[in-house]
Amino acid sequence: MEEMKMNVRPTGNRGTWSKKAPAVAELGKKPPQALDLEEAVLGALMLEKDALTTVIDILRPNSFYKEAHQRIFKAILALFDKSEPIDILTVTHELRENGELELAGGAYYVTQLTTRVNSAANIEYHARIITENSIKRDLISISSEVLSSAFEDTTDVFELLDRTEAKLYEVSESNIRKNFDDMRSLMHAAIKELEEKRKQTDGLTGVPSGMTALDRVTSGWQKSDLIILAARPAMGKTAFVLSCLRNAAVDFKKGVAIFSLEMSSLQLVNRLISSEAELDSEKIKKGSLEDYEWAQLNHKIAKLTEAPIFIDDTPGLSIRELRTKCRRLKAQYDIQMVIIDYLQLMSGNADGKGGGNREQEIASISRAMKMLAKELNVPVIALSQLSRAVETRGGDKRPQLSDLRESGSIEQDADMVLFLYRPEYYGITEDEMGNPTAGVGEVIIAKHRNGSLENVQLKFIGKYTKFTNLDSDFGGDGGFNALPNSSFDTETPGAIRLGSRMNDGGKGGGGFPASGFDDEPPF
């Protein structure tokens, strides 16, 4: 009881007392550790030259409990990085050069480690036990900090919750690594996926955009793809992704999360209401609706109300927060697509530390988004701004890949790069074929890692802030039209073929047969 009294302290100004929980919880207990296994692993690493390759993706210096062992393991890693042999003499020499030999226990202690084990036969099993103990220590440390902060009256509970989630995720990411897959298991997974695709007689294998001509090229937004949608301001980027979001969630019942860093949640919902009810967005904004328009609104938004759409309008969202929120949404609601509006408004580092310029920060954000798409196995659509070079260029001012703003790594990380272009914005009333451009929006597929490059024409309805199919995109049965071989599809003006870097084996865009969609799926 005397020791218990030593570990209490006043909190706040109310004169109340609370126990300093971490100290009490750990009273008389040692942190999880396995010093004998640590010695055995280090000894094995200095006995057999190939032992390190077995455990290098399992162990980190901080995995070791004893500080001397951490220093010895760092010396071993340094030798490995320099492609030098690893044995008692080289490790001792490396420690001596770094001035850490005495801190690591001295030359005699390093030599004694090799007597703890005869071979590296069980080194992987021993390494995993060491890692498990390390994870336990990390969890104890996080729990102690949470417990201590939770007792403080001045603690912001939501900030504490966010910080705790971030630290738990960090522990998980740094310790749990995906291993390689053998060809047998991969082939089995590939055949299973093909069988699932075979059932999709409409040719859609990803999340549909609802735009017929665009889905013909992409087969829907594909899992684990990072899609960059870029355009100059006022081209309708948000209107386009909201149309895609609405089609996926309402018509196809796919869960979609949108992170809006520019507009508030209510502004986005008002846009969705205007698009769904086909009411002028200005009237929605002012609330000046007639009685019949109110009836029309209430009737049309019923499906929208029940749609699996999740909106987050946190300003200045960091990539760490994005990953945490997306993982939570995936676990709780099985979201099938993520939309970010827009990339340049994100911050790369949650704690505000770290050097580097804005271009490097955008590069780290785009890489993290690609990793997020792969981790959750969902398409991630990120909106991006284009540079002013588009405005200064002559001609029709069509955007190109070099116009991507602030970082060339966006182009590198993306699986697809789409540009949104409306000729009428620049006062161009007719296209090169003499067709009127009023109300026409063009999606330029400038990069398509797994398909063809095409220009897809859509109908833009400004007063409803929505994109939809051109009337000519629909066949008599409301389905897809056939895909011809010609470079310009006269039957389907919505798609202009530019050619593909990937599919040159007599196939059309998106890997479908040149003859179009038959009863037999193209697999």
Side-chain angles (χ1 to χ4, degrees), residues 162-199:
D162 185 62
R163 192 165 69 242
T164 305
E165 281 187 346
K167 288 191 175 184
L168 287 171
Y169 182 70
E170 200 175 302
V171 170
S172 174
E173 282 295 288
S174 61
N175 288 287
I176 300 171
R177 298 290 183 186
K178 184 181 182 298
N179 210 341
F180 58 83
D181 296 307
D182 62 85
M183 196 60 187
R184 181 180 293 278
S185 60
L186 285 173
M187 192 63 72
H188 178 74
I191 296 299
K192 186 176 180 181
E193 185 176 304
L194 284 175
E195 289 173 351
E196 290 296 321
K197 288 179 179 179
R198 185 180 179 85
K199 299 174 185 177

Side-chain angles (χ1 to χ4, degrees), residues 64 126-127 145 166 212 223 225 249 259 290 303 336 341 360 372 378 385 399 423 425 436 441 454 465 488 509:
F64 293 87
H126 295 160
E145 186 179 336
T212 311
K223 293 179 179 179
D225 273 6
F259 293 86
E290 302 293 338
K303 288 183 179 178
Q336 299 297 307
D341 182 13
Q360 291 172 330
L372 177 67
V378 300
Q385 293 282 18
Y425 179 82
E454 299 188 19
T465 58
F488 179 73

Side-chain angles (χ1 to χ4, degrees), residues 15-49:
T16 56
W17 291 76
S18 68
K19 296 172 185 175
K20 191 176 180 182
V24 175
E26 294 170 14
L27 191 64
K29 290 187 178 180
K30 290 184 179 179
Q33 56 186 282
L35 293 180
D36 53 341
L37 293 181
E38 290 183 12
E39 293 172 354
V41 166
L42 292 173
L45 292 176
M46 290 185 285
L47 282 178
E48 297 190 16
K49 62 177 183 177

